[in-house]
């Protein structure tokens, strides 16, 4: 969650700057533990919503959270690639496509230049994970989004240097949702590259302090996915950039429940016809949505009324939620073909490289 304009933030900036100054000298290989050998098992799932945490990044996040009195998550601070592989083997996950949880992403109240440097460090860590564990990890590369020119360089590095599978965006950056005109050059470049773009929600500054006695992620996280999807829809971004393949977290937040209401307000507006010529529901049905923490019967029923099973990918939101959420899919009365599509087929169609990983003999990891 992002909380802005925090008076305590200034006191931590000096130490963050000192840390980031030396960050580039720390290679990703130096901070990854040597992979261990693991038992073989049936691994068929592809998880498109799985988070990673470079140790250098975690050090900054811990300080960021402490300034805001956000309690640390033991599952996050105990995360390692080796531990994740062990759990993936246990729960039948063949490949996890990694991304940063947007809590707080690479923004962290630092300069655009520092955020750019941190984004590259994270991308390199992902590349090293993929190298050390062949076939087990994919890459949704994070972007800083604070400066257009730097962000475009991050896209170039992600695709041309580390060969990322897609891009990891968050739903908003400083209460600017993804349909904001300032992001036009970024979306143009992602469209040119026919990129897969995975979007993770974040608690908006505008709503993080509402007087509701619950953790902000419970309500505001799914709502922020709805905000950014709606911003992209109403600005015509989905139509203008048709070659971007979007994946939205948590079954689209509240989009499945709100799609009819959005259509009722806008479909008869002549100006909206330019943004979504076929109407709101038809446009929303072209997007992809993951199942992370959304495999309850009501959530999946709403999602599968909005989109066919071919638009749904398996996701877990690990380490915030367990990896074995596919057990809930088995209880929904879906056909075997639909379950296979959700568990791996749709992800392979979006990212063909994953098929080669799925067809190859299971990797036990390499030492080095």
């Amino acid at each position: 969650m992002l909380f802005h304009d925090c008076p305590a933030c200034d006191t931590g900036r000096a130490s963050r700057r000192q840390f980031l100054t030396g960050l580039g000298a720390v290679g990703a290989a130096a901070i990854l533990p040597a992979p261990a050998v693991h038992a073989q098992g049936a691994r068929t799932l592809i998880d498109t919503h799985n988070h990673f945490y470079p140790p250098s990044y975690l050090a900054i996040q811990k300080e960021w959270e402490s300034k805001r009195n956000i309690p640390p998550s033991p599952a996050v601070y105990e995360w390692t690639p080796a531990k994740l592989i062990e759990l993936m083997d246990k729960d039948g996950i063949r490949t996890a496509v990694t991304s940063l949880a947007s809590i707080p992403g690479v923004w962290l109240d630092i300069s655009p230049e520092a955020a750019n440097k941190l984004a590259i460090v994270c991308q390199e860590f992902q590349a090293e994970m993929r190298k050390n564990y062949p076939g087990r990890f994919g890459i949704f590369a994070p972007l800083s989004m604070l400066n257009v020119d730097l962000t475009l360089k991050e896209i170039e590095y992600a695709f041309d240097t580390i060969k990322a599978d897609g891009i990891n965006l968050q739903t908003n950056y400083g209460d600017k949702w993804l349909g904001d005109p300032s992001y036009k050059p970024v979306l143009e470049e992602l469209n040119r590259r026919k990129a897969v773009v995975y979007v993770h929600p974040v608690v908006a500054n505008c709503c993080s302090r509402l007087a509701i006695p619950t953790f902000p992620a419970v309500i505001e996280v799914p709502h922020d996915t709805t905000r950014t999807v709606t911003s992209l829809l109403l600005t015509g971004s989905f139509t203008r950039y048709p070659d971007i393949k979007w994946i939205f977290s948590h079954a689209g937040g509240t989009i499945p429940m709100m799609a009819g209401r959005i259509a009722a307000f806008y479909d008869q507006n002549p100006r909206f016809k330019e943004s979504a010529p076929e109407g709101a529901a038809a446009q929303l049905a072209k997007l992809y949505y993951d199942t992370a923490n959304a495999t309850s019967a009501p959530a999946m029923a709403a999602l599968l009324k909005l989109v066919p099973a071919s638009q749904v990918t398996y996701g877990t939101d690990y380490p915030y939620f367990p990896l074995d959420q596919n057990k809930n899919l088995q209880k929904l009365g879906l056909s075997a073909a639909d379950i296979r599509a959700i568990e791996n087929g749709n992800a392979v169609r979006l990212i063909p490289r994953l098929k080669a990983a799925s067809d190859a003999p299971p990797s036990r990891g390499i030492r080095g």
Side-chain angles (χ1 to χ4, degrees), residues 257-266:
M257 294 297 296
M258 297 292 291
R261 186 173 177 85
I262 294 169
F265 272 86
Y266 289 100

Side-chain angles (χ1 to χ4, degrees), residues 129 186 256 310 352:
M129 285 175 62
V186 174
S310 60

Side-chain angles (χ1 to χ4, degrees), residues 70-333:
I70 299 173
S73 169
V76 169
Y77 290 101
E78 294 170 2
W79 181 94
T80 67
K83 182 175 181 180
L84 173 55
I85 285 288
E86 181 179 350
L87 293 173
M88 288 167 60
D89 287 351
K90 174 179 175 291
D91 290 319
I93 293 180
R94 173 67 199 198
T95 304
V97 188
T98 59
S99 58
L100 281 179
S102 300
I103 311 172
V106 298
W107 207 12
L108 290 156
D109 297 311
I110 54 182
S111 71
E113 292 76 17
N116 164 254
K117 192 171 186 179
L118 185 55
I120 297 300
V121 167
C122 289
Q123 290 183 16
E124 290 175 344
F125 187 92
Q126 290 175 288
E128 196 68 20
M129 285 175 62
R130 186 172 64 187
K131 174 185 174 183
N132 279 3
Y133 298 92
R136 306 309 303 275
F137 292 115
I139 297 173
F140 286 149
L143 303 180
S144 62
M145 298 291 280
L146 297 181
N147 175 282
V148 167
D149 291 336
L150 292 175
T151 299
L152 292 175
K153 290 179 180 179
E154 292 162 19
I155 294 173
E156 180 181 9
Y157 192 82
F159 286 117
D160 297 343
T161 300
I162 70 164
K163 310 300 182 184
D165 300 298
I167 293 298
N168 166 202
L169 296 179
Q170 59 190 55
T171 48
N172 85 76
Y173 297 83
D175 289 5
K176 287 167 59 178
W177 287 267
L178 294 180
D180 191 279
S182 63
Y183 300 136
K184 180 180 177 181
V186 174
L187 297 185
E188 286 177 340
E189 177 62 9
L190 294 174
N191 188 67
R192 185 184 74 82
R193 289 181 177 268
K194 297 179 170 55
V196 176
V197 176
Y198 161 76
V199 181
H200 194 279
V202 59
V203 175
N205 182 55
C206 66
C207 306
S208 63
R209 297 180 179 85
L210 294 178
I212 299 174
T214 184
F215 186 55
V218 176
I219 294 175
E220 283 305 316
V221 158
H223 282 312
D224 214 60
T225 294
T226 301
R227 291 186 187 101
T228 212
V229 170
T230 304
S231 79
L232 289 162
L233 177 68
L234 298 185
T235 57
S237 298
F238 291 134
T239 299
R240 192 175 303 115
Y241 311 114
D243 290 327
I244 297 176
K245 295 171 279 291
W246 299 91
I247 306 175
F248 291 96
S249 300
H250 311 124
T254 58
I255 279 291
M257 294 297 296
M258 297 292 291
R261 186 173 177 85
I262 294 169
F265 272 86
Y266 289 100
D267 275 1
Q268 303 309 312
N269 186 325
R271 294 180 61 185
F272 183 65
K273 294 291 185 182
E274 300 176 9
S275 299
E278 300 175 69
Q283 185 60 68
L284 296 173
K286 297 177 182 179
L287 309 176
Y288 289 82
Y289 306 86
D290 76 38
T291 64
N293 195 29
T295 53
S296 69
M300 290 300 296
L303 177 61
L304 292 175
K305 287 294 184 181
L306 176 66
V307 300
S310 60
Q311 301 300 114
V312 182
T313 66
Y314 183 67
T316 65
D317 209 354
Y318 180 83
Y320 299 98
F321 294 94
L323 294 170
D324 63 348
Q325 295 170 43
N326 65 310
K327 65 186 180 184
N328 296 327
L329 292 176
Q330 311 294 331
K331 304 174 184 177
L332 298 177

Side-chain angles (χ1 to χ4, degrees), residues 321-356:
F321 294 94
L323 294 170
D324 63 348
Q325 295 170 43
N326 65 310
K327 65 186 180 184
N328 296 327
L329 292 176
Q330 311 294 331
K331 304 174 184 177
L332 298 177
L334 301 176
S335 70
D338 283 349
I339 291 176
R340 284 195 302 271
I342 293 171
E343 289 185 339
N344 55 54
N346 298 334
V348 167
R349 183 159 45 85
L350 278 168
I351 308 171
R353 187 191 66 78
L354 297 179
K355 184 178 190 305

